[in-house]
Amino acid sequence: MLTTDSRLARGYLTVVALGVLVMFLFPESPYAMSPMLLTAPLSFLPVLLPFGPGTEGSPPVEVLATGLWFAWTLLCALVNAAALGALARKSDRAPSVRPRPRAPRALLAPAVDNWLARGYLAVVAAALGTFLYAVFVSSDPGFAGIWPIMAAAPLSFLALLVTAPVEYSSPAWLSSLVFSAGVVLSGLVNAVLIGLLAHRLRARPAGR
């Protein structure tokens, strides 16, 4: 299986398991968010739904909500591990001789040559478009930046960190531009991984 047949994928699953353990041991610490961050971007989809850990109601409702959240987090971790496994498998099968440097177009090809990756890029584009509209057109941007952050996570959090110092030392439009560029790059990286996974899944039956 792609989720367990490479050290990269197994290492990732180990880190996610440690994150879940930390969440149980230190539920009030900032590190309690590590499982969601490590399994991003898919793990942020349930944020839009009115249930999850902490849902108020009868004990059966709370148990069901928490169980669904953990099941979804596990599924997200397996999807991400499969993507890393596909990437590792492709690297293992590379020729032993030193290959020529690949052009940027070849490196980014998996992000646009399949419907799964293109659909993900459409989600990132919609989230980023919503952010740009809120910042430059709407009178009240509010928390519009949360949508591109969730769509392009986890690397989008690095874009947010890079934007923070720029926000206080440059014109306001420049910080939005830096943040948008970071989201675009983060989305492309995720799309490439998704595309590699799609290629691997499509080629797997033929190899049997």
Side-chain angles (χ1 to χ4, degrees):
M1 294 178 61
L2 289 176
T3 56
T4 57
D5 62 358
S6 70
R7 292 183 179 180
L8 185 61
R10 291 195 298 269
Y12 166 76
L13 290 177
T14 301
V15 173
V16 173
L18 291 176
V20 173
L21 179 62
V22 168
M23 183 183 68
F24 277 110
L25 295 178
F26 309 101
E28 302 298 329
S29 72
Y31 299 104
M33 288 289 294
S34 58
M36 180 174 288
L37 296 178
L38 290 170
T39 55
L42 292 177
S43 59
F44 283 103
L45 291 180
V47 173
L48 304 176
L49 303 177
F51 62 82
T55 299
E56 295 183 0
S58 62
V61 171
E62 295 178 3
V63 171
L64 177 61
T66 302
L68 290 175
W69 183 85
F70 275 107
W72 178 254
T73 301
L74 175 60
L75 178 61
C76 295
L78 292 176
V79 170
N80 288 352
L84 293 174
L87 181 62
R89 178 69 64 84
K90 187 172 183 179
S91 299
D92 292 341
R93 292 186 176 183
S96 57
V97 296
R98 186 174 182 179
R100 295 180 179 179
R102 299 179 63 186
R105 172 180 288 184
L107 292 174
L108 295 177
V112 295
D113 62 3
N114 62 92
W115 286 107
L116 189 61
R118 287 198 293 265
Y120 168 74
L121 286 178
V123 172
V124 174
L128 186 57
T130 301
F131 164 75
L132 294 175
Y133 173 85
V135 170
F136 294 108
V137 179
S138 175
S139 58
D140 183 18
F143 295 96
I146 193 66
W147 303 114
I149 289 175
M150 290 193 300
L155 292 179
S156 56
F157 286 95
L158 296 178
L160 186 62
L161 292 176
V162 172
T163 305
V166 178
E167 183 176 359
Y168 298 102
S169 61
S170 305
W173 61 266
L174 183 57
S175 62
S176 298
L177 179 63
V178 172
F179 174 73
S180 299
V183 168
V184 170
L185 291 176
S186 302
L188 285 175
V189 171
N190 288 345
V192 168
L193 292 176
I194 292 173
L196 290 175
L197 175 60
H199 290 173
R200 180 59 187 164
L201 294 177
R202 184 169 53 192
R204 194 175 183 85
R208 291 182 176 181

